[in-house]
Amino acid sequence: YAVLGIDWIGGAGASSAPMPGQADFPAIDARDQAAALLAVYDWLGIARLHAVAGASYGGMVGLSLAEIAPRRVGTVLAISAAHRSHALATGWRSVQRAIVRHSLALGDGPGGLALARALAMTTYRTRAELERRFPLQGTPTPRPEDFAVEQYLLARGAAYAEATRPECFLCLSESIDRFRLDPARVGVPVHLVAIAQDQLVTPEEVRELAGLLAGRSVLHELQSEYGHDAFL
C-alpha cells in the first residue's frame, strides 16, 4: 500500500489557487476536488483506491469521490463530516468571511484573516478545553492582553495568516458551505467518525448521514475535549 496526500485546489499549497487580489477565481466545491483527485490518480495509473480517508473538508471530498466514482473507491473513512453544513456552522463561517472581506477592502487582508481564524478556533475547540487551559482566576483585569485565552487565539490566528492567503481562505471556506451530498448515491462501504463534543459537525448530523447512505456504514462515536479538532 502507498499513502497519498494531495493538495486542494484553491488552497495554500502549489495547486491552482486565487492570487492576491484575484476576484475572478472560480467557485470550488467538493466534487471539483474529487474530480481533480481522479485526474491525479489517472496520471499515476491508479485504477482503484483501497480507501479514501479524510477529516472535516477532507471527509466531504472523500464522500464526493465515492458518489461520483464508486467503482474507483474501496471504502471511505470520513471523520467529522456530514452530508451538508448546519445553518449555525455556516453562520459562523459567514461571519469569518465577512471579517476577511472587510479587511481586504481596507487593505489589511492578513490582519482580517488572523482575526477570522482566531474566531474560528473557538468553534473548533470546546468550552471544556479552553476552561481547563485558560481559567480566569482572581480579580478580573481591565487589560485584554492579560487574558491568556485571547493571547492563545490571536497567536493561532497570526500563525495561520502567515501561511495562508486571505483569498484562499475565502475559496475553501465557501466550498464547505456549498457542499451537498446525495447519500442515496453513495453505495460503497463508509466508516463515519463523530466526536461527541464537536460543535461544527455534531454526532446527530453524522448519525443522520449514516441512516441515509445507500451502502453499508459503520458509525464510530468518540469522546474528545478537542471537539472538531480531535482528528488532528
Side-chain angles (χ1 to χ4, degrees), residues 6-27:
I6 300 172
D7 189 44
W8 298 135
I9 295 174
S15 295
S16 298
M19 300 303 294
Q22 183 177 0
D24 61 348
F25 192 81

Side-chain angles (χ1 to χ4, degrees), residues 1-8 37-38 40-54:
Y1 298 94
V3 178
L4 306 178
I6 300 172
D7 189 44
W8 298 135
L37 294 180
L38 288 173
V40 174
Y41 303 146
D42 288 343
W43 185 78
L44 292 172
I46 300 173
R48 190 169 187 269
L49 300 166
H50 174 70
V52 177

Side-chain angles (χ1 to χ4, degrees), residues 4-228:
L4 306 178
I6 300 172
D7 189 44
W8 298 135
I9 295 174
S15 295
S16 298
M19 300 303 294
Q22 183 177 0
D24 61 348
F25 192 81
I28 300 294
D29 64 26
R31 287 184 179 82
D32 296 320
Q33 303 285 10
L37 294 180
L38 288 173
V40 174
Y41 303 146
D42 288 343
W43 185 78
L44 292 172
I46 300 173
R48 190 169 187 269
L49 300 166
H50 174 70
V52 177
S56 192
Y57 186 60
M60 298 176 187
V61 175
L63 290 166
S64 296
L65 190 59
E67 180 184 6
I68 68 175
R71 294 185 179 180
R72 302 192 65 175
V73 179
T75 187
V76 174
L77 168 61
I79 306 168
S80 294
H83 49 302
R84 59 177 176 79
S85 295
H86 190 280
L88 181 57
T90 296
W92 281 328
R93 283 187 290 268
S94 295
V95 173
Q96 295 161 26
R97 293 193 292 267
I99 292 171
V100 173
R101 290 194 178 99
H102 180 67
S103 298
L104 282 169
L106 296 176
D108 185 20
L113 180 58
L115 290 176
R117 181 66 171 190
L119 176 60
M121 288 293 298
T122 66
T123 70
Y124 301 155
R125 301 301 180 88
T126 65
R127 293 170 61 91
E129 184 211 355
L130 295 181
E131 177 63 19
R132 175 181 60 79
R133 295 177 62 185
F134 310 108
L136 297 180
Q137 299 176 345
T139 303
T141 172
R143 297 186 301 170
E145 62 268 21
D146 288 339
F147 292 119
V149 65
E150 180 180 18
Q151 293 307 300
Y152 166 73
L153 294 173
L154 292 178
R156 292 298 85 221
Y160 183 78
E162 289 179 358
T164 305
R165 291 194 297 273
E167 295 83 1
C168 295
F169 169 83
L170 293 174
C171 178
L172 293 184
S173 176
E174 290 176 345
S175 184
I176 293 172
D177 290 319
R178 289 192 185 96
F179 179 66
R180 298 292 186 276
L181 178 80
D182 182 357
R185 296 184 58 194
V186 179
V188 306
V190 176
H191 285 262
L192 298 170
V193 179
I195 307 300
Q197 294 81 5
D198 193 335
Q199 301 183 84
L200 285 174
V201 184
T202 65
E204 290 78 14
E205 295 169 74
V206 182
R207 290 187 205 116
E208 180 183 356
L209 170 59
L212 295 173
L213 289 168
R216 180 173 60 86
S217 66
V218 179
L219 174 61
H220 309 267
E221 295 193 29
L222 308 179
Q223 299 281 334
S224 174
E225 70 170 6
Y226 297 108
H228 191 69

